[in-house]
Amino acid sequence: SPKLEVFARFPDLRRIVYLAINRAIEEIIEPVVDRVVTIASTTTQKLTLKDFAMEPDENKLLHAAHCMVQSLASSLANVICKDPLRVSAINHLRNAVKELGPTIVGLGNVEMNLLDYSLQTAISENLDLACSVIEKVSTERAIGEVNEQLAPAVEARKAHREQQRISGQSQPYYDINLFSGRYPSALPDILRPQLGGIQPHQLAVYEEFLTRVP
């Protein structure tokens, strides 16, 4: 922010803020991404397999899964990483000031409270940008993970289509493994999987996820 005059007087402070944020990202990114990917991909897999139990087109299945997992991963990463990232960045900032501060001529004459306020404000102003890095990695990995989890379902649909071609018969596709107990008979008609595949209004629910990505 141009209101933080200390950065105009000491441009090298920008490097200290950069180092602090970069080190904070490196410190927390792996555990955050691992947690986010596990939750987002597993949730997406379980819901899409049920909703698409009678959908023969694997492309529709993957499209819906990608819409959902991107939204979940991005939102979860934003929520999970923000506070740990702020705390870590501030800690690294203080260490960086101790380490590099003496190399900046005149910085020692700045009132400590003013310096600390300016640096912490800079961290806060750039926190969303730092979070977006973790969100991007989380989203990319979540898509890859859900692709792996849905691979058997994709292959099952391809095998069914090939079997239909060879036999010359036309049988509707359905995943028999998902039809047990109260599911899906207990669902209302609007939500229940239908022979012939996913309905437009049902697919729209998944596509709506992309409009809610932070």
mmCIF file of all heavy atoms in Angstrom, residues 126-162:
data_model
loop_
_atom_site.group_PDB
_atom_site.id
_atom_site.type_symbol
_atom_site.label_atom_id
_atom_site.label_comp_id
_atom_site.label_asym_id
_atom_site.label_seq_id
_atom_site.Cartn_x
_atom_site.Cartn_y
_atom_site.Cartn_z
ATOM 1 N N ASN A 126 -1.215 -8.905 1.475
ATOM 2 C CA ASN A 126 -0.822 -9.895 0.464
ATOM 3 C C ASN A 126 -1.242 -11.320 0.820
ATOM 4 O O ASN A 126 -0.864 -12.266 0.128
ATOM 5 C CB ASN A 126 0.693 -9.847 0.252
ATOM 6 C CG ASN A 126 1.129 -8.588 -0.482
ATOM 7 O OD1 ASN A 126 1.037 -8.510 -1.697
ATOM 8 N ND2 ASN A 126 1.571 -7.588 0.266
ATOM 9 N N LEU A 127 -2.026 -11.446 1.900
ATOM 10 C CA LEU A 127 -2.391 -12.778 2.356
ATOM 11 C C LEU A 127 -3.271 -13.513 1.350
ATOM 12 O O LEU A 127 -3.084 -14.709 1.103
ATOM 13 C CB LEU A 127 -3.105 -12.681 3.714
ATOM 14 C CG LEU A 127 -3.245 -13.985 4.501
ATOM 15 C CD1 LEU A 127 -1.877 -14.578 4.815
ATOM 16 C CD2 LEU A 127 -4.014 -13.734 5.797
ATOM 17 N N ASP A 128 -4.225 -12.813 0.759
ATOM 18 C CA ASP A 128 -5.100 -13.462 -0.223
ATOM 19 C C ASP A 128 -4.311 -13.938 -1.437
ATOM 20 O O ASP A 128 -4.592 -15.004 -1.998
ATOM 21 C CB ASP A 128 -6.211 -12.506 -0.661
ATOM 22 C CG ASP A 128 -7.278 -12.322 0.401
ATOM 23 O OD1 ASP A 128 -7.387 -13.206 1.281
ATOM 24 O OD2 ASP A 128 -7.991 -11.302 0.363
ATOM 25 N N LEU A 129 -3.335 -13.151 -1.858
ATOM 26 C CA LEU A 129 -2.501 -13.557 -2.981
ATOM 27 C C LEU A 129 -1.717 -14.820 -2.638
ATOM 28 O O LEU A 129 -1.616 -15.744 -3.452
ATOM 29 C CB LEU A 129 -1.531 -12.429 -3.344
ATOM 30 C CG LEU A 129 -0.545 -12.721 -4.477
ATOM 31 C CD1 LEU A 129 -1.281 -13.018 -5.775
ATOM 32 C CD2 LEU A 129 0.412 -11.550 -4.662
ATOM 33 N N ALA A 130 -1.166 -14.862 -1.422
ATOM 34 C CA ALA A 130 -0.427 -16.044 -0.985
ATOM 35 C C ALA A 130 -1.349 -17.258 -0.910
ATOM 36 O O ALA A 130 -0.976 -18.367 -1.315
ATOM 37 C CB ALA A 130 0.226 -15.783 0.367
ATOM 38 N N CYS A 131 -2.558 -17.055 -0.412
ATOM 39 C CA CYS A 131 -3.531 -18.159 -0.335
ATOM 40 C C CYS A 131 -3.882 -18.677 -1.721
ATOM 41 O O CYS A 131 -4.114 -19.878 -1.901
ATOM 42 C CB CYS A 131 -4.801 -17.700 0.376
ATOM 43 S SG CYS A 131 -4.646 -17.522 2.168
ATOM 44 N N SER A 132 -3.928 -17.777 -2.697
ATOM 45 C CA SER A 132 -4.303 -18.201 -4.054
ATOM 46 C C SER A 132 -3.288 -19.181 -4.631
ATOM 47 O O SER A 132 -3.645 -20.030 -5.448
ATOM 48 C CB SER A 132 -4.446 -16.981 -4.967
ATOM 49 O OG SER A 132 -3.188 -16.386 -5.236
ATOM 50 N N VAL A 133 -2.025 -19.061 -4.201
ATOM 51 C CA VAL A 133 -1.012 -20.014 -4.651
ATOM 52 C C VAL A 133 -1.354 -21.414 -4.143
ATOM 53 O O VAL A 133 -1.309 -22.403 -4.885
ATOM 54 C CB VAL A 133 0.387 -19.595 -4.156
ATOM 55 C CG1 VAL A 133 1.425 -20.653 -4.504
ATOM 56 C CG2 VAL A 133 0.775 -18.246 -4.747
ATOM 57 N N ILE A 134 -1.714 -21.500 -2.862
ATOM 58 C CA ILE A 134 -2.055 -22.784 -2.256
ATOM 59 C C ILE A 134 -3.363 -23.311 -2.838
ATOM 60 O O ILE A 134 -3.517 -24.520 -3.071
ATOM 61 C CB ILE A 134 -2.138 -22.646 -0.728
ATOM 62 C CG1 ILE A 134 -0.762 -22.224 -0.186
ATOM 63 C CG2 ILE A 134 -2.604 -23.942 -0.079
ATOM 64 C CD1 ILE A 134 -0.720 -21.982 1.312
ATOM 65 N N GLU A 135 -4.310 -22.424 -3.104
ATOM 66 C CA GLU A 135 -5.570 -22.834 -3.718
ATOM 67 C C GLU A 135 -5.325 -23.452 -5.099
ATOM 68 O O GLU A 135 -5.939 -24.466 -5.456
ATOM 69 C CB GLU A 135 -6.508 -21.636 -3.855
ATOM 70 C CG GLU A 135 -7.077 -21.128 -2.537
ATOM 71 C CD GLU A 135 -7.890 -19.863 -2.731
ATOM 72 O OE1 GLU A 135 -8.571 -19.754 -3.768
ATOM 73 O OE2 GLU A 135 -7.831 -18.989 -1.863
ATOM 74 N N LYS A 136 -4.449 -22.825 -5.880
ATOM 75 C CA LYS A 136 -4.172 -23.313 -7.235
ATOM 76 C C LYS A 136 -3.561 -24.710 -7.198
ATOM 77 O O LYS A 136 -3.983 -25.609 -7.939
ATOM 78 C CB LYS A 136 -3.232 -22.352 -7.957
ATOM 79 C CG LYS A 136 -2.936 -22.712 -9.404
ATOM 80 C CD LYS A 136 -2.092 -21.629 -10.079
ATOM 81 C CE LYS A 136 -1.900 -21.917 -11.562
ATOM 82 N NZ LYS A 136 -1.127 -23.157 -11.813
ATOM 83 N N VAL A 137 -2.578 -24.911 -6.321
ATOM 84 C CA VAL A 137 -1.949 -26.227 -6.203
ATOM 85 C C VAL A 137 -2.967 -27.259 -5.720
ATOM 86 O O VAL A 137 -3.019 -28.383 -6.216
ATOM 87 C CB VAL A 137 -0.733 -26.171 -5.259
ATOM 88 C CG1 VAL A 137 -0.151 -27.564 -5.034
ATOM 89 C CG2 VAL A 137 0.332 -25.243 -5.822
ATOM 90 N N SER A 138 -3.777 -26.877 -4.742
ATOM 91 C CA SER A 138 -4.791 -27.786 -4.201
ATOM 92 C C SER A 138 -5.774 -28.213 -5.284
ATOM 93 O O SER A 138 -6.127 -29.395 -5.397
ATOM 94 C CB SER A 138 -5.551 -27.117 -3.050
ATOM 95 O OG SER A 138 -4.701 -26.810 -1.976
ATOM 96 N N THR A 139 -6.216 -27.251 -6.083
ATOM 97 C CA THR A 139 -7.186 -27.537 -7.140
ATOM 98 C C THR A 139 -6.605 -28.475 -8.193
ATOM 99 O O THR A 139 -7.250 -29.444 -8.611
ATOM 100 C CB THR A 139 -7.644 -26.226 -7.802
ATOM 101 O OG1 THR A 139 -8.258 -25.391 -6.816
ATOM 102 C CG2 THR A 139 -8.641 -26.500 -8.905
ATOM 103 N N GLU A 140 -5.376 -28.197 -8.616
ATOM 104 C CA GLU A 140 -4.747 -29.039 -9.640
ATOM 105 C C GLU A 140 -4.560 -30.470 -9.148
ATOM 106 O O GLU A 140 -4.835 -31.434 -9.878
ATOM 107 C CB GLU A 140 -3.398 -28.431 -10.044
ATOM 108 C CG GLU A 140 -3.539 -27.126 -10.825
ATOM 109 C CD GLU A 140 -2.202 -26.451 -11.068
ATOM 110 O OE1 GLU A 140 -1.185 -26.913 -10.486
ATOM 111 O OE2 GLU A 140 -2.165 -25.471 -11.838
ATOM 112 N N ARG A 141 -4.109 -30.612 -7.913
ATOM 113 C CA ARG A 141 -3.894 -31.960 -7.382
ATOM 114 C C ARG A 141 -5.219 -32.678 -7.138
ATOM 115 O O ARG A 141 -5.313 -33.896 -7.322
ATOM 116 C CB ARG A 141 -3.083 -31.892 -6.086
ATOM 117 C CG ARG A 141 -1.638 -31.469 -6.304
ATOM 118 C CD ARG A 141 -0.808 -31.757 -5.074
ATOM 119 N NE ARG A 141 0.499 -31.140 -5.151
ATOM 120 C CZ ARG A 141 1.393 -31.143 -4.177
ATOM 121 N NH1 ARG A 141 1.089 -31.737 -3.021
ATOM 122 N NH2 ARG A 141 2.564 -30.557 -4.315
ATOM 123 N N ALA A 142 -6.240 -31.935 -6.732
ATOM 124 C CA ALA A 142 -7.546 -32.549 -6.473
ATOM 125 C C ALA A 142 -8.153 -33.097 -7.761
ATOM 126 O O ALA A 142 -8.767 -34.170 -7.761
ATOM 127 C CB ALA A 142 -8.488 -31.538 -5.823
ATOM 128 N N ILE A 143 -7.985 -32.373 -8.858
ATOM 129 C CA ILE A 143 -8.479 -32.861 -10.149
ATOM 130 C C ILE A 143 -7.768 -34.152 -10.530
ATOM 131 O O ILE A 143 -8.393 -35.129 -10.965
ATOM 132 C CB ILE A 143 -8.289 -31.790 -11.246
ATOM 133 C CG1 ILE A 143 -9.228 -30.614 -10.994
ATOM 134 C CG2 ILE A 143 -8.546 -32.386 -12.631
ATOM 135 C CD1 ILE A 143 -9.012 -29.451 -11.939
ATOM 136 N N GLY A 144 -6.451 -34.159 -10.361
ATOM 137 C CA GLY A 144 -5.699 -35.378 -10.669
ATOM 138 C C GLY A 144 -6.105 -36.547 -9.797
ATOM 139 O O GLY A 144 -6.236 -37.683 -10.285
ATOM 140 N N GLU A 145 -6.330 -36.279 -8.521
ATOM 141 C CA GLU A 145 -6.703 -37.346 -7.587
ATOM 142 C C GLU A 145 -8.088 -37.906 -7.904
ATOM 143 O O GLU A 145 -8.299 -39.127 -7.891
ATOM 144 C CB GLU A 145 -6.679 -36.821 -6.153
ATOM 145 C CG GLU A 145 -7.030 -37.840 -5.082
ATOM 146 C CD GLU A 145 -6.019 -38.960 -4.963
ATOM 147 O OE1 GLU A 145 -4.857 -38.783 -5.390
ATOM 148 O OE2 GLU A 145 -6.380 -40.031 -4.446
ATOM 149 N N VAL A 146 -9.047 -37.031 -8.190
ATOM 150 C CA VAL A 146 -10.398 -37.519 -8.470
ATOM 151 C C VAL A 146 -10.423 -38.263 -9.805
ATOM 152 O O VAL A 146 -11.205 -39.214 -9.981
ATOM 153 C CB VAL A 146 -11.422 -36.365 -8.447
ATOM 154 C CG1 VAL A 146 -11.504 -35.615 -9.763
ATOM 155 C CG2 VAL A 146 -12.810 -36.884 -8.073
ATOM 156 N N ASN A 147 -9.563 -37.885 -10.745
ATOM 157 C CA ASN A 147 -9.455 -38.640 -11.996
ATOM 158 C C ASN A 147 -9.015 -40.077 -11.726
ATOM 159 O O ASN A 147 -9.539 -41.030 -12.321
ATOM 160 C CB ASN A 147 -8.456 -37.976 -12.940
ATOM 161 C CG ASN A 147 -9.040 -36.762 -13.639
ATOM 162 O OD1 ASN A 147 -10.255 -36.575 -13.665
ATOM 163 N ND2 ASN A 147 -8.181 -35.934 -14.202
ATOM 164 N N GLU A 148 -8.046 -40.237 -10.831
ATOM 165 C CA GLU A 148 -7.582 -41.578 -10.476
ATOM 166 C C GLU A 148 -8.680 -42.370 -9.767
ATOM 167 O O GLU A 148 -8.872 -43.564 -10.029
ATOM 168 C CB GLU A 148 -6.345 -41.483 -9.581
ATOM 169 C CG GLU A 148 -5.094 -41.003 -10.295
ATOM 170 C CD GLU A 148 -3.871 -41.077 -9.412
ATOM 171 O OE1 GLU A 148 -3.908 -41.789 -8.387
ATOM 172 O OE2 GLU A 148 -2.864 -40.411 -9.734
ATOM 173 N N GLN A 149 -9.389 -41.715 -8.868
ATOM 174 C CA GLN A 149 -10.436 -42.403 -8.121
ATOM 175 C C GLN A 149 -11.592 -42.834 -9.011
ATOM 176 O O GLN A 149 -12.236 -43.852 -8.753
ATOM 177 C CB GLN A 149 -10.945 -41.498 -6.987
ATOM 178 C CG GLN A 149 -9.907 -41.232 -5.897
ATOM 179 C CD GLN A 149 -10.431 -40.304 -4.831
ATOM 180 O OE1 GLN A 149 -11.514 -39.739 -4.940
ATOM 181 N NE2 GLN A 149 -9.644 -40.119 -3.773
ATOM 182 N N LEU A 150 -11.858 -42.062 -10.048
ATOM 183 C CA LEU A 150 -12.977 -42.381 -10.949
ATOM 184 C C LEU A 150 -12.552 -43.227 -12.144
ATOM 185 O O LEU A 150 -13.391 -43.591 -12.972
ATOM 186 C CB LEU A 150 -13.631 -41.084 -11.444
ATOM 187 C CG LEU A 150 -14.370 -40.257 -10.398
ATOM 188 C CD1 LEU A 150 -14.873 -38.953 -11.016
ATOM 189 C CD2 LEU A 150 -15.526 -41.038 -9.784
ATOM 190 N N ALA A 151 -11.268 -43.535 -12.230
ATOM 191 C CA ALA A 151 -10.775 -44.313 -13.372
ATOM 192 C C ALA A 151 -11.520 -45.636 -13.561
ATOM 193 O O ALA A 151 -11.882 -45.991 -14.698
ATOM 194 C CB ALA A 151 -9.272 -44.550 -13.240
ATOM 195 N N PRO A 152 -11.783 -46.414 -12.492
ATOM 196 C CA PRO A 152 -12.531 -47.671 -12.693
ATOM 197 C C PRO A 152 -13.928 -47.431 -13.257
ATOM 198 O O PRO A 152 -14.403 -48.211 -14.095
ATOM 199 C CB PRO A 152 -12.590 -48.273 -11.281
ATOM 200 C CG PRO A 152 -11.409 -47.693 -10.565
ATOM 201 C CD PRO A 152 -11.294 -46.296 -11.098
ATOM 202 N N ALA A 153 -14.590 -46.358 -12.817
ATOM 203 C CA ALA A 153 -15.926 -46.046 -13.318
ATOM 204 C C ALA A 153 -15.873 -45.645 -14.782
ATOM 205 O O ALA A 153 -16.765 -45.999 -15.579
ATOM 206 C CB ALA A 153 -16.554 -44.925 -12.486
ATOM 207 N N VAL A 154 -14.834 -44.922 -15.157
ATOM 208 C CA VAL A 154 -14.659 -44.529 -16.559
ATOM 209 C C VAL A 154 -14.450 -45.767 -17.429
ATOM 210 O O VAL A 154 -15.076 -45.921 -18.490
ATOM 211 C CB VAL A 154 -13.468 -43.558 -16.693
ATOM 212 C CG1 VAL A 154 -13.120 -43.350 -18.174
ATOM 213 C CG2 VAL A 154 -13.788 -42.225 -16.029
ATOM 214 N N GLU A 155 -13.597 -46.662 -16.977
ATOM 215 C CA GLU A 155 -13.319 -47.885 -17.748
ATOM 216 C C GLU A 155 -14.557 -48.772 -17.836
ATOM 217 O O GLU A 155 -14.782 -49.432 -18.860
ATOM 218 C CB GLU A 155 -12.160 -48.647 -17.107
ATOM 219 C CG GLU A 155 -10.823 -47.945 -17.241
ATOM 220 C CD GLU A 155 -10.471 -47.637 -18.686
ATOM 221 O OE1 GLU A 155 -10.655 -48.531 -19.544
ATOM 222 O OE2 GLU A 155 -10.043 -46.499 -18.970
ATOM 223 N N ALA A 156 -15.358 -48.818 -16.782
ATOM 224 C CA ALA A 156 -16.575 -49.632 -16.787
ATOM 225 C C ALA A 156 -17.542 -49.144 -17.861
ATOM 226 O O ALA A 156 -18.191 -49.950 -18.554
ATOM 227 C CB ALA A 156 -17.247 -49.594 -15.420
ATOM 228 N N ARG A 157 -17.639 -47.831 -18.021
ATOM 229 C CA ARG A 157 -18.535 -47.279 -19.036
ATOM 230 C C ARG A 157 -18.014 -47.564 -20.444
ATOM 231 O O ARG A 157 -18.785 -47.873 -21.356
ATOM 232 C CB ARG A 157 -18.702 -45.774 -18.801
ATOM 233 C CG ARG A 157 -19.620 -45.467 -17.616
ATOM 234 C CD ARG A 157 -19.440 -44.062 -17.060
ATOM 235 N NE ARG A 157 -20.435 -43.792 -16.034
ATOM 236 C CZ ARG A 157 -20.379 -44.235 -14.782
ATOM 237 N NH1 ARG A 157 -19.363 -45.007 -14.396
ATOM 238 N NH2 ARG A 157 -21.320 -43.947 -13.910
ATOM 239 N N LYS A 158 -16.705 -47.464 -20.628
ATOM 240 C CA LYS A 158 -16.122 -47.782 -21.933
ATOM 241 C C LYS A 158 -16.322 -49.258 -22.279
ATOM 242 O O LYS A 158 -16.639 -49.608 -23.424
ATOM 243 C CB LYS A 158 -14.633 -47.443 -21.926
ATOM 244 C CG LYS A 158 -14.333 -45.950 -21.869
ATOM 245 C CD LYS A 158 -12.834 -45.702 -21.861
ATOM 246 C CE LYS A 158 -12.515 -44.211 -21.834
ATOM 247 N NZ LYS A 158 -11.051 -43.953 -21.793
ATOM 248 N N ALA A 159 -16.146 -50.120 -21.270
ATOM 249 C CA ALA A 159 -16.321 -51.558 -21.495
ATOM 250 C C ALA A 159 -17.770 -51.875 -21.839
ATOM 251 O O ALA A 159 -18.049 -52.717 -22.711
ATOM 252 C CB ALA A 159 -15.893 -52.330 -20.248
ATOM 253 N N HIS A 160 -18.719 -51.224 -21.174
ATOM 254 C CA HIS A 160 -20.138 -51.434 -21.449
ATOM 255 C C HIS A 160 -20.470 -51.017 -22.890
ATOM 256 O O HIS A 160 -21.182 -51.734 -23.604
ATOM 257 C CB HIS A 160 -20.983 -50.631 -20.471
ATOM 258 C CG HIS A 160 -22.448 -50.662 -20.767
ATOM 259 N ND1 HIS A 160 -23.254 -51.728 -20.442
ATOM 260 C CD2 HIS A 160 -23.258 -49.760 -21.390
ATOM 261 C CE1 HIS A 160 -24.485 -51.491 -20.826
ATOM 262 N NE2 HIS A 160 -24.525 -50.300 -21.409
ATOM 263 N N ARG A 161 -19.928 -49.876 -23.296
ATOM 264 C CA ARG A 161 -20.186 -49.386 -24.639
ATOM 265 C C ARG A 161 -19.610 -50.335 -25.692
ATOM 266 O O ARG A 161 -20.235 -50.611 -26.723
ATOM 267 C CB ARG A 161 -19.592 -47.987 -24.786
ATOM 268 C CG ARG A 161 -20.046 -47.260 -26.031
ATOM 269 C CD ARG A 161 -19.879 -45.744 -25.911
ATOM 270 N NE ARG A 161 -18.531 -45.355 -25.540
ATOM 271 C CZ ARG A 161 -18.210 -44.786 -24.369
ATOM 272 N NH1 ARG A 161 -19.146 -44.539 -23.467
ATOM 273 N NH2 ARG A 161 -16.958 -44.450 -24.116
ATOM 274 N N GLU A 162 -18.418 -50.859 -25.432
ATOM 275 C CA GLU A 162 -17.796 -51.796 -26.360
ATOM 276 C C GLU A 162 -18.578 -53.105 -26.426
ATOM 277 O O GLU A 162 -18.743 -53.690 -27.505
ATOM 278 C CB GLU A 162 -16.352 -52.054 -25.924
ATOM 279 C CG GLU A 162 -15.593 -53.028 -26.809
ATOM 280 C CD GLU A 162 -15.399 -52.529 -28.223
ATOM 281 O OE1 GLU A 162 -15.651 -51.322 -28.478
ATOM 282 O OE2 GLU A 162 -14.990 -53.332 -29.097
#
